[in-house]
Amino acid sequence: MANYILDKKTQKWIKEERGKGSGKDYHPWLTVRDLSSRGRSHRVMGHLTGRTHHFFSDTELAAFLLLEWNPDVTDIREQFPLRIEDTLSVAEQANIRHPEAGGYHQIMSSDFVIDLSTPSGPKRFAVQVKTSPDLMDSRTVEKLEIERRYWKRKGIPWYLITEKQMPPTVMANLDLLYSARVQSESLEILFQSLPIYVEVLATNPNARLSDVGMMVDHSYSLEPGTSLARLRALAALRALTFDISIPWIKLVSQDLRVVEDIALLRASYAANQ
């Protein structure tokens, strides 16, 4: 296999141990600051990891929201670097030109590496996110093939996701709920208020959630909008669940369900404060 040459910036990133660690200690290989001119980018605080995540497209952000919503996900590492010795070997065997720039080899990366907790034990998979038009470019497809073979060698499932796997209604709900996780009221207040909302929801099964919110606000002399915001926050915390494919604004009381073991859920959030 041919030797490789890395530019000074890449060598610096390696010394900084980018792509190493896990959870809140993980540092992505690429950050928004590194590629500030690359279109729409996002820096988003992760509720699961407790750190800022870096994304370079709306599609990457949408994929992240889906992953964070999955209760089995235990860690999300974005912009994950691939070992260059392995990608060079894969490229050589596949007769595909390895990514280079200015005469220097480039380190490839996967958009996400995900850790899961499953009944059969911990598992891991990798994800690359593209838009449908991206797949019309032959060079993009070649690089995806290197990445696919790379993860196959390591025995780790690899998935390619486009916007077609992300229903607009689901993404709109996740975006709404994600923002609701960042709320000013304490978890203690939210969980203490849950029985009130459960009772009102049960006695008004066909009421829109906005109407339920107004009922509680009026009954307890709360600022208008307080209860609807709490309902959103409780849904974001998964204390209240619903079919994520139904638009939030169309939900009625009977569409919401209370999580079976609320005490366990409450304890898990308290442990992570």
Side-chain angles (χ1 to χ4, degrees):
M1 184 182 69
N3 294 326
Y4 58 88
I5 304 175
L6 303 176
D7 61 25
K8 291 183 178 179
K9 181 175 64 177
T10 301
Q11 294 177 39
K12 176 176 177 289
W13 290 352
I14 292 174
K15 289 180 181 179
E16 291 174 351
E17 296 193 327
R18 293 197 184 192
K20 303 291 185 181
S22 60
K24 65 181 179 59
D25 298 319
Y26 174 75
H27 190 86
W29 177 249
L30 297 171
T31 69
V32 168
R33 180 179 298 177
D34 300 322
L35 301 176
S36 58
S37 62
R38 188 178 160 182
R40 287 173 62 92
S41 59
H42 305 271
R43 297 173 73 253
V44 179
M45 185 65 183
H47 299 305
L48 176 66
T49 63
R51 66 173 178 83
T52 299
H53 292 258
H54 296 253
F55 309 113
F56 298 102
S57 70
D58 293 343
T59 315
E60 284 184 24
L61 174 60
F64 170 74
L65 294 176
L66 279 172
L67 292 166
E68 267 243 333
W69 187 251
N70 186 334
D72 296 328
V73 170
T74 58
D75 196 10
I76 301 174
R77 285 172 283 180
E78 78 281 13
Q79 320 307 338
F80 187 89
L82 311 185
R83 189 171 180 269
I84 191 169
E85 292 85 353
D86 293 338
T87 55
L88 281 167
S89 174
V90 167
E92 185 178 43
Q93 288 187 2
N95 196 28
I96 297 174
R97 178 168 53 88
H98 193 279
E100 296 182 14
Y104 296 98
H105 291 91
Q106 290 186 305
I107 289 182
M108 300 178 67
S109 62
S110 288
D111 286 330
F112 297 99
V113 169
I114 310 302
D115 290 337
L116 293 170
S117 176
T118 72
S120 59
K123 295 190 181 298
R124 178 170 294 172
F125 65 93
V127 173
Q128 185 63 259
V129 179
K130 296 293 181 186
T131 61
S132 298
D134 290 336
L135 304 183
M136 302 301 291
D137 179 70
S138 59
R139 180 56 179 157
T140 296
V141 173
E142 285 183 341
K143 290 187 285 187
L144 289 172
E145 179 61 12
I146 294 175
E147 185 179 354
R148 184 190 71 81
R149 294 190 184 203
Y150 174 94
W151 289 112
K152 184 177 181 180
R153 274 191 180 189
K154 297 186 176 300
I156 294 176
W158 176 83
Y159 301 97
L160 175 63
I161 294 178
T162 72
E163 74 284 354
K164 292 183 178 180
Q165 283 79 49
M166 303 176 192
T169 297
V170 172
M171 298 318 304
N173 279 338
L174 290 176
D175 188 45
L176 179 146
L177 293 174
Y178 194 89
S179 62
R181 288 281 297 272
V182 184
Q183 36 73 32
S184 58
E185 292 191 300
S186 69
L187 291 174
E188 189 66 23
I189 290 176
L190 288 173
F191 281 112
Q192 283 180 353
S193 67
L194 180 59
I196 296 172
Y197 296 114
V198 171
E199 180 180 356
V200 177
L201 290 168
T203 54
N204 299 275
N206 296 311
R208 289 290 180 89
L209 299 187
S210 56
D211 294 330
V212 171
M214 286 190 289
M215 290 180 201
V216 179
D217 287 346
H218 179 74
S219 297
Y220 290 85
S221 301
L222 300 173
E223 287 290 327
T226 297
S227 290
L228 185 59
R230 286 179 179 175
L231 285 170
R232 283 176 53 195
L234 287 166
L237 293 168
R238 297 190 181 89
L240 296 172
T241 63
F242 65 98
D243 183 346
I244 201 72
S245 67
I246 301 174
W248 174 263
I249 60 173
K250 292 186 178 181
L251 293 174
V252 296
S253 294
Q254 61 186 347
D255 292 325
L256 295 184
R257 298 286 183 271
V258 185
V259 68
E260 290 185 6
D261 197 336
I262 192 66
L264 179 62
L265 179 69
R266 185 172 180 173
S268 68
Y269 280 115
N272 289 298
Q273 290 298 295

